[in-house]
Amino acid sequence: MARHMREPEAQRTTVVKRTVERQQPVQRRTMYRDDMPYGQAAAYRGLMEEPVVRRELTWDDAPARGGIYALGRGLLLLLAWAIRLCAFAMVVIVLLNALSLPFFRTTLSTTTDLITSYLPWQNLGLLAVDTPFGGVLKGDLAIVSLLLFVIDWLLCKLRASLR
């Protein structure tokens, strides 16, 4: 018979030159995952009846609230997407200004002037740095694009808190 299939060996105790044999009682009970020590869980996997599946809840598992919260989440999503698209457009404009491609020069200068006219501060062009490609890195536009990305992130966090 294979070693792992044998009956448990009897425990031997010597008392005044006599051998007393005692067998340990066999416990028959249903084993669950939480009852077993850590290392033995894999060995008894076939003996378990109904495995208990437990996991922690995440933000995605929480039921969403309806009504005005759903409307607010939708509006915040639309606003976040619009701001994110504006931020990406600003990044493209900053990169095109830094590269200074000749066939975009007139269109790019009018677009840059239009965008800078809406900026709230007075010292426009103060953070301009010449690039080796013949263009100018507009620092004020780069700061505006960074601020737009931060506002987008904050709106997404606010939307997640309305769940």
Side-chain angles (χ1 to χ4, degrees):
M1 195 185 233
R3 182 176 178 192
H4 67 279
M5 297 180 69
R6 287 186 199 158
E7 290 290 325
E9 293 183 13
Q11 181 180 3
R12 297 174 189 259
T13 309
T14 305
V15 179
V16 190
K17 296 190 179 186
R18 280 192 307 180
T19 305
V20 178
E21 294 186 8
R22 287 188 216 146
Q23 288 209 348
Q24 301 205 355
V26 178
Q27 294 180 354
R28 305 253 184 227
R29 69 183 202 103
T30 307
M31 301 187 79
Y32 294 100
R33 181 174 63 188
D34 295 336
D35 297 337
M36 290 179 273
Y38 175 72
Q40 296 177 359
Y44 293 107
R45 189 157 298 166
L47 300 174
M48 290 192 298
E49 287 184 351
E50 299 171 17
V52 180
V53 178
R54 291 186 180 143
R55 63 187 182 95
E56 299 208 9
L57 293 176
T58 61
W59 283 101
D60 299 332
D61 295 334
R65 293 186 257 179
I68 194 72
Y69 290 101
L71 180 64
R73 282 192 317 268
L75 291 176
L76 284 175
L77 179 67
L78 287 176
L79 186 62
W81 270 101
I83 289 177
R84 190 177 306 156
L85 288 176
C86 290
F88 280 126
M90 292 292 284
V91 168
V92 168
I93 288 172
V94 168
L95 289 176
L96 288 177
N97 272 328
L99 293 177
S100 182
L101 301 173
F103 46 88
F104 280 136
R105 190 166 290 172
T106 56
T107 307
L108 194 59
S109 65
T110 56
T111 306
T112 304
D113 291 339
L114 178 67
I115 291 172
T116 54
S117 67
Y118 289 110
L119 293 180
W121 49 78
Q122 298 295 322
N123 297 329
L124 298 174
L126 184 65
L127 301 172
V129 178
D130 291 334
T131 62
F133 304 111
V136 175
L137 178 67
K138 304 269 187 175
D140 49 357
L141 296 182
I143 289 173
V144 168
S145 65
L146 182 67
L147 287 175
L148 287 175
F149 278 121
V150 169
I151 291 170
D152 169 49
W153 178 75
L154 288 173
L155 286 175
C156 289
K157 286 292 186 183
L158 180 64
R159 181 179 181 268
S161 70
L162 289 179
R163 287 195 70 116

